[in-house]
Every structure is written in C-alpha cells, then in structure tokens.
C-alpha cells in the first residue's frame, strides 16, 4: 500500500538568519518533513530525513537565506537520500522579533511576527520540480463597524434612555458611534513564492498589518495609545473587510507576480464581547483577485 | 528519600452533575491525584490511585454533588488505599455550559464557565483533616480607562489635529473620551470552601463577571451589542480595578464565612492594542479584605 | 469580493447524547460554523449563525443523535437563515468518556476518545445537497520493530559486548529482540458517512485502536500491564503499519459502503527515544483501498 | 487596596546570547514582569515596565550573560522606574537548541532544552535585595521497572501460556523481564542561583538528563537506537526514581553551594500504556538532600 506522507514533526534547529526587507533577522525555525512511500516499501529510514535537515542547515545556517529556499534545499535533499521517494514536503515555522518604532513617541519597540514557509519537490520523469510558499501571521486590532451602525439606527429617545441608564453625558447623543468594541485580531497570509521572483516577507507583514483597523505595539506611551485608538475607530473593519484589504494590498504590491500565483487569506478576531472567535477565509489566485478588483473599480 | 507528591495527571471521568445556584448542571471533570511517599517506599501503587477516583466517581456520579466534596471523598479514599501515605491531594477542573438570557433581546444563549475544585486530606495522629477549595474562571470584557484619561489631557488643538488626520467629525471634540480600547479578559477566583458553609459556585461566577467592564455573551442581537458596549465604556476598568471589584463582591456576598478564609484573585486582559497580556494578582484572607474595605469606607 | 468561509469558531453547547454501538454516551460538543459570502454582501449576520446552532441544539439535545446528523441539521438551518449563502459548513468535536473493562483483571476503567463530525450543505439549483463526515482520534501504544531488527543484525560478539556494558544477563543473547522502545501513539480516522448508511463510531474506535501495537487503559493491574506489554512487543508496528491495519480494518468492517467513500488515515507516534514525533498520512477512497488489498491477497 | 503582582505576560525579545558550560548559545527569551502596587495607587504605568525590559535588553543583548542575571538587572530597573513599588519579579523562559553527538555513530544532532530564570528584587529599608533562580526542562526516556517485576512473579506455567497466546518464542521464558514499556518523559529542575556562585545551566541539563532511564536524541542511526534501548532497560526507573537521581546529582555536582539553597524537582512521564501521565514532585533545600543522602550512605 502506498502512503502519501510519512515523516517527522517538530525538528528544532538552532538560530539562523533570514531577511525581512532590508533587515537581516534571526529565527529559530521548526521543521516538519515528509516523503511519500511506494507500495513495496515497509517504512522510511527516518534518520535520513533528519540528516537531510541537519546537513542542509549546517551548510547554510550562517548565510542569509529565504526560509522557503531553505525548505526547497531540504526537500531536494530528501529526494536524494530516499531513492524510493517521488515527492518530498518540508514545512517551516519561526518567530521573528523585529525592532520597530512607536507611532507618535518614536521609541524602540520589539514586535513578534510568525513566519511560515513550505516547499514541495516532485520527481517527474527523472527531473525534480519544486514549488515554494511563504507566509506570515500578524497580530493587530480590529474595531467593529456593526455597533457603530447599531447606535446610528437607534432613535434619539432610545439612545437618551440608554445613556441615562449608563450614566453617560447626553452630549454623546450626536457622536456616540465612536464607541465600539475592539479586539485582538490575527491575520494570516500564505502565498506561492514562484521561482525567479522575490516575495519579500516584510511586505507580507505590512499587507496583513495594514488590513486590520490598526497595528498594535508592545510599547505605547499615552500619546501612542490615543493615536492607535483613534486610528482603529476611524478604520472600523469586520474580519471580512480585513480579507478585502489584504487582497487589495497583494494586488497593489505584487504587480510582477504571475496570475496563477495561489494565495490563502485568513483573519481571526478574538471578539471582545463574545467568548468565541470570528473567522473569514479566502482562497484565490492573484489573477482572480486582480479581475475582481478591476471590475470593482470599473463600477 | 521522602517525596511530597507522586501521582497521576489528567484522569478523565464521564459526565456528572453539580449545582450552580438553584440549577443542576452537567460537567465532564478531569482529575489530578497525588499522595506523599515516605522515605522507605520505592514507589506508589498507581493503579490504586486510579481506582480511588473511579470507585468514588461510580458511587456518586448520579447524585448532585459539589465538585470540592467529590475531591474530598477521593482524597480520603486515597489515604485509605495507600496505607503508607499521610497526605492526599485531589484537583478537579471542568467546564460548565450554562443557559443564560441575552441582556436586551432576552433570547437563550449558552455560556461556558470553568470550574475548579481542590481537596487536601492529611492524616494527623490517626485522624484525617481535610480542607477544600473551589474556584471559577470567567471570560468578560474590559474597557481601558487610561485612553479616556489620555484624550482628556490633550489640548483642543492637539485633538482637532488628531481628528483631522483620522477623518473624524470635529463634533467629537467634547465627547471623545468614550472612544477607548476593549479586549477579552479573564477573571479567576479561587477560595477556601470551609466545612459547614456553602460556597455557591454560581455566586463566584457572578462576582468575577461583575468585576469586569461588562459580561460577554455567545449570542448578541444588535440591541444587545449596543448595550454591552455602552455598559463597558461606562465601567472602564484596569485589571487592577477588576481585582478590587472581586474583593468587594466577595466581602459583600460571603458575610458568614470566617476571617481566615483564604482567597486568590487574578485578572488577565488580552490587551487589544498590544500583543502581550496585562495581569493583576492578589492573595488575601477574607478578614484582610474586610479590614481594607472597612478602612476605605471610613475615609 | 466573494468569501468562501465566514463564521464562528468555538461555540460550546451543553451536554448531549450520542450513540457508540449499542451504548448511549454523553458528549459536550464544540462547534465551528461557516457560510460563504457573495460579492455583493459586506458581512454575515453572525448572531443568526449562533442561533442556528442553539436552536437546532435545543430541539435535539435530549434525543440520541449521530453527531454528523446534528451537524447536517445545523448546516441546513444556516442556509435557511442566511438567504444569501449557497454553502454552509459545520464542524463538531467532542470527547466521549466510555466505560471499558481491563484486559485481564476485568475491572471497570473509563477511557476517553475524541469524536469528530462535519457536514457541508450546498444550494444547487434550488435544492440542498448535504454530505457528512465522521471521525475519531484514539490513543494507544506502538512498539518499534526496527530496534528488534537492529538487534538481530548485530553479531554475537557485538551483542555480548553491549550486554556486558549495560550489565545485562548474557542469557539474553538469543532473545534480546523482545527489548524495544514503545511510545504513546495517536491514530486518527475521518471518513464520509453517506446518506442511508450507518457508520458506527464505536467501530471506528475499534479499527483505530486495533491498528496500533496494543490498546491502552487508564487502569491496569499488574497482570494487565504484563499482558499489554507482551501484546505490544508481539505486534511491533511502525506508524506506516498502523495506517495499513486501519485500511484493512475499514475494508473488512464497512463492506456495504460505496467505493467512492472518502477516508483520511493518520498516525502520530510520540517517539520515546526522540524528542520529535513520527507521522504517517494516507488519503484514499474505500474503493481504492479495496483494490489494493485485493491485489495484495492475490499475490 | 494593595496588590501583590501587577504586570505584563509574554514580552518577546530578539535573540540574545547565554552560556551553557563552555558553549555560547543563542536564545529567544520571553519575559513576564510584575511589580507590587501600594494601596494608594490606582494602577501601574505599564509602558515603564516594558521599557525596563527593552532598555536592559538593548544594553546587554550583545554580551554573553546568564539569563538569571538579565532578570535581576530588569527587576532592579523595574524598581527604579516605579518609585511606588517595593517588590519586582521577572521570569524568563527560552529554548536552547544545542549541538550534540549521537551515542555510537558520533554524528551531529541538535537537541532542544528549555531554560528558565527568575529574579525577585525587594526594597527593604532603602536598599535592594535580589534573589535569582535558574532551571531547565529536559526530555528523555523512562523504562518501567514494574512490568519487569510483574513478569518475574508469574509462574512458569502462566508465562508459557502468555507467550503462547502472543506467539512469542518459548526461549523467552528465562529472559522475558527485558520486555517493558518505555515512554517520553520530562524532567524539571529549578533552583536558587545564589550571589557569588556559578550555577552552570549545562550541569543542570546533565543532571536531569542523567536521572531518566536514557537520554533521547533527534538523530539516531540503528546502532544508536539499539544502544539507547539497552541503556534504558538496564536503567528502568519510576518517576520517583528520577527525582532521587536528580537529588543525588545535585548533591554531588554543587558541593560548594550553601545548605539553604532551595530546589524544586519534578518528573512527568507520558505513560505509553496509559492515556494519563505519571508525576513526582519534591521541594527541598540542598542541605536537606545532603542529610538524607548521607544517612542513606551510612545505613
């Protein structure tokens, strides 16, 4: 019986270097590696899979590399060392802690981002075909537009009563829509990194961060807090909206990437007024997103 | 060499009944059980520890019990079955999903709460002394008072500029403090459940839920969302404040409990404008809290 | 822009009843629900999604149902309540704690199993088409065959030296292969539950449990421990082998199910001599597995 | 109302250097920081707590430091910046991935270890008193001695029958005790790191790893696997035994540390023949352990 994927989950490697835009950052990556197994083989030689990771890592750890390229090197090495395998898959995840600047007070702050990469190598008629993917997970804040709408739809009498109950100033009657719930939210973007193009991880981070109501920072002085809250209420967005802004950001940023580039967009909000999370997910190609946004602009 | 705690973590038992106020609710508890080991014993007989749990559970599962009483029965049974042990500790945790009503639209909603219990039995000069603890973890929402303060402290000019940048209505100038960040927050309360008193878990849930800016619900129609948001901004609270409101709630609710009753209060907010969490913790006795609140009222 | 999946993750419902073989067991299910969103809609009405779950649950909670049927009822209700949606997806997961009997001493023990269900309803030309899936995750033990092989391949001299180093009895020379490493292992099986057939969850549990080297029990008296260890070393299996035994079990157990029934088989071993896990995965149809096993028997 | 601990959980900092024995290794630490709050203060200024971490980190990140010294520097800085606080607590955790060599084949392998540190600074009559703790968590394998015992106690007839049932060679009759269950196990050791002494983290790792039946490696060629399995069965140990070997290792390794040095020892085995874990815990001082081991040797 053939098996599609046999392998090792959770291989930890020491610190290595990658690039975010013009910055060189350090990562501690964790790898999952798999090969396929033909019907006539009882099991894989797991130690060879580990060695493929460790050897590639040892050769390249001191250079600056793209995480998806490292995955591709490992995938090819897996095929080399398992002569019976025709498909090798390598997934990597790591956290990059990057120095940023607070929005108003301009002080140093260190922000964590998750970085993902994947490579699949296939042996087809004697030659190896490899594709790469790269992705990020970014935490930000979303402010909910629905409560703002809800408040607008209440009659003055209902609102006055509600304000009275809650001991709030009646002057709030005109401007109440600015009160809404916010929450920690997490955007995820995974996409093809086609051969010959440079998909810059720092641009992915900017796209996902910019698709939420506001970015978040580990350090915020009071002026920064006010800034972030005002920015969030001015950009109130549903999880559905974050997906749309990610799509727009992708189309505008990666003009040179081919239409068939596959993308996966997801947003998850830890709703502050609920105990559950809201989620929106979209799978598409860059070409599909381009057509949708073009027809939207036409209207 | 003596060992303080040897035992089993993660024993799962089938569904059983407990009481929240006047309601009978179902729980799927998970148990950790430990005994001490005297210097002259190589190891415990672990299967006896499991049997103590399973047998007590089988006898009492169909009755309605308090989770901490079940823990105490198991702790005593552990001492019975391990003749070399002088101390037995049992911890239980479970989730209770309770039917509630939405705040304005009055529809059914099912809210999950975590319930904790603990019992320690000690063999002192031939007789067994047992003490019990009971606790809850409740999710709610906190709105931050600091941004409100921060906005008040800005000059009209600074605010007008900030509003302009963010495209917000200048009418907001007077009432902007209502804009602040909110986040999912989690309150935790663990306390002694002294012999002869009835510490009602549903009262603990009410105390913790009431100490945050507003409760949260799995179901909220738009009128409910508006209500919860207004309630939260009218009760903007730091994690430190939630601890204070828990303390006040405890003192007012459990007037009959003795001064030496130990309590542990904790609040954790998943800050929506940061990637990290804010935490406040207080350990005290009911007597200590009573004195502090009394002197506060005196002032 | 259309979105494929918008919804809620982590809806908790109170206890409900399901069936494992002839037994009626209690579950506390957790649900994720999603609908699609057409290009012309800004967002979903999330409270309607919650109400679909709560209302179906309230109607059926006291009856005994199959978890995948409950998911299908909710999926259909999601389409009813979101008139703009054409696809609804519902996932449920729950833990069933089932009374079993120890293998030799025949005492009661309570074993936890994870149960999964999924339903997708699609609106195609005015009529609703629903498919269901059901699955289980079961913990057991695997003993590794490779060390046994490795020991057999050593020369008598090498073995004698190794035994000497480790202070083991030289009589072990002939029979040493019985020493091998074991570890906690987890099998996962997810499959279509086609309309008109009855895929009994208790049979899935038996298939997955039987595909490992031995089942595990929460309670084991010493005679039971010896029995399980002997059973495991007599059935030493790689993760790859567990997949093969699951496939065999499926083909033999569900003779009446159609060839196009999709199945997903996975095994994960927490290798005791490594810090990482070994994984094997297979996707197939029942028809595909039948053909493979038939040709295997022919040989 | 005073609060004992108010602070931030989960501050991520970029990569920094620490020392394991003679090696310089890279860590990505995560920090929790707390201060106390006097009765007359409403809340802490959280941004100052973050800045204390970021500033100390920026100054020392490029040097090689002990993680507990970094915690102490941050704790002192917390007191400096919160003039109302009298107690500051800092906890750090990180993962060190260290290059090792396989036991027989002598190839490179990268092993992950968890490292912990803590510092508490107290302001007492105008001067600051700081204490430090350091700890490690190490994964290894434990083989169970009880099944070996159980098999020895069976009569020849019972064994012969058991062997027959399981299709095992009757030659196993004499040597069967070598068959036992093994599992992934995790040892934890946390201890005071008193001023003026050097508690080397690499020694802690060796003590904890040596207290289990055998170490585990990410890479094992077949000769290494045989070696590890033989080593484990020759050192079959309960969780209770691992605590005893940790205690022995501590006493022998840290002869120069004072008697009042506090230690916490814990072992957790993911039992392969059960679905739950076995745990043993000991709190002691080095002096206490020294006396116990001395009286043991006297006997």
């Amino acid at each position: 019986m053939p098996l599609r994927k046999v392998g090792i989950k959770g291989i930890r490697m020491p610190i290595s270097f990658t690039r975010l835009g013009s910055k060189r950052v350090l990562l501690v990556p964790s790898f999952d590696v798999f090969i396929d197994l033909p019907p006539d083989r009882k099991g894989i030689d797991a130690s060879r899979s580990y060695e493929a990771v460790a050897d590639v890592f040892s050769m390249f750890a001191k250079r600056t590399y793209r995480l998806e390229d490292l995955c591709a090197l490992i995938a090819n090495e897996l095929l080399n060392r398992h002569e019976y395998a025709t498909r090798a898959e390598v997934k990597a995840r790591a956290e990059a802690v990057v120095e940023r600047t607070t929005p108003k007070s301009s002080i140093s702050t260190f922000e964590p981002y998750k970085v993902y990469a994947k490579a699949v190598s296939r042996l087809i008629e004697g030659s190896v075909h490899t594709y790469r993917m790269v992705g990020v997970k970014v935490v930000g804040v979303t402010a909910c537009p629905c409560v703002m709408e809800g408040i607008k739809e209440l009659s003055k009498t209902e609102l006055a009563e509600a304000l009275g109950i809650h001991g709030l100033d009646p002057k709030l009657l005109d401007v109440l829509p600015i009160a809404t719930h916010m929450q920690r939210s997490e955007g995820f973007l995974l996409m093809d990194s086609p051969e010959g193009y440079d998909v810059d991880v720092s641009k992915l981070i900017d796209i996902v961060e910019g698709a939420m109501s506001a970015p978040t920072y580990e350090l915020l002085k009071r002026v920064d807090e006010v800034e972030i809250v005002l920015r969030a209420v001015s950009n109130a967005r549903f999880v559905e909206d974050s997906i749309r802004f990610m799509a727009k950001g992708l189309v505008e940023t990666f003009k040179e990437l081919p239409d068939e580039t596959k993308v996966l967009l997801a947003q998850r909000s830890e709703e502050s007024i609920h105990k559950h999370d809201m989620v929106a997910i979209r799978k598409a190609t860059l070409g599909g997103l381009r057509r949708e946004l073009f027809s939207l602009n036409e209207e």
Side-chain angles (χ1 to χ4, degrees), chain A residues 63-234:
Chain A
R63 301 192 208 166
T64 301
Y65 60 87
R66 302 191 308 169
L67 199 54
E68 64 272 31
D69 289 343
L70 197 68
C71 289
L73 288 168
I74 295 171
N76 293 348
E77 202 52 39
L78 285 170
L79 289 184
N80 276 345
R81 298 187 186 205
H82 298 278
E83 66 288 349
Y84 47 85
T86 62
R87 183 186 181 279
E89 179 180 328
V90 178
K91 287 177 179 179
R93 57 195 164 280
E95 191 179 54
V97 182
V98 181
E99 190 166 4
R100 294 252 160 151
T101 304
T102 53
K104 298 289 279 187
S105 59
S106 297
I107 316 177
S108 256
T109 169
F110 297 95
E111 303 300 320
Y113 303 101
K114 297 260 171 63
V115 180
Y116 300 86
K118 182 178 168 177
V120 175
S121 289
R122 280 193 191 78
L123 193 65
I124 304 170
E125 295 175 9
S127 66
V128 174
H129 299 257
T130 303
Y131 82 83
R132 296 157 179 78
M133 298 195 83
V134 63
V136 297
K137 195 180 271 179
V138 180
V139 173
V141 58
T142 54
C144 175
C146 61
V147 169
M148 295 182 167
E149 292 296 312
I151 289 176
K152 277 186 204 153
E153 286 170 15
L154 291 181
S155 72
K156 294 273 163 183
T157 328
E158 287 168 317
L159 252 183
E161 194 201 28
L163 293 177
I165 291 164
H166 294 291
L168 294 174
D169 189 337
K171 274 190 289 187
L172 292 172
L173 265 175
D174 286 336
V175 291
L176 207 62
I178 203 171
T180 191
H181 63 93
M182 288 180 200
Q183 48 269 320
R184 194 179 285 174
S185 195
E186 195 175 65
F188 177 68
L189 166 51
L190 183 73
M191 66 185 292
D192 286 348
S193 174
E195 187 90 51
Y197 296 89
D198 185 16
V199 178
D200 180 349
V201 173
S202 72
K203 289 183 184 166
L204 297 188
I205 291 174
D206 290 345
I207 290 169
V208 177
E209 200 163 54
M212 293 181 269
S213 295
T216 61
Y217 295 90
E218 289 296 77
L219 174 64
L220 290 172
K221 303 305 287 182
R222 199 175 278 187
V223 288
D224 304 309
E225 291 190 343
V226 169
E227 167 69 19
I228 293 296
V229 166
L230 291 181
R231 210 188 284 185
V233 293
S234 329

Side-chain angles (χ1 to χ4, degrees), chain A residues 10 24 26 42 60 70 89 128 132 177 232 236 252 268 273:
Chain A
R24 186 163 173 263
L26 287 149
K42 185 168 167 62
F60 293 91
L70 197 68
E89 179 180 328
V128 174
R132 296 157 179 78
E252 290 171 357
R268 176 174 188 144
I273 59 170

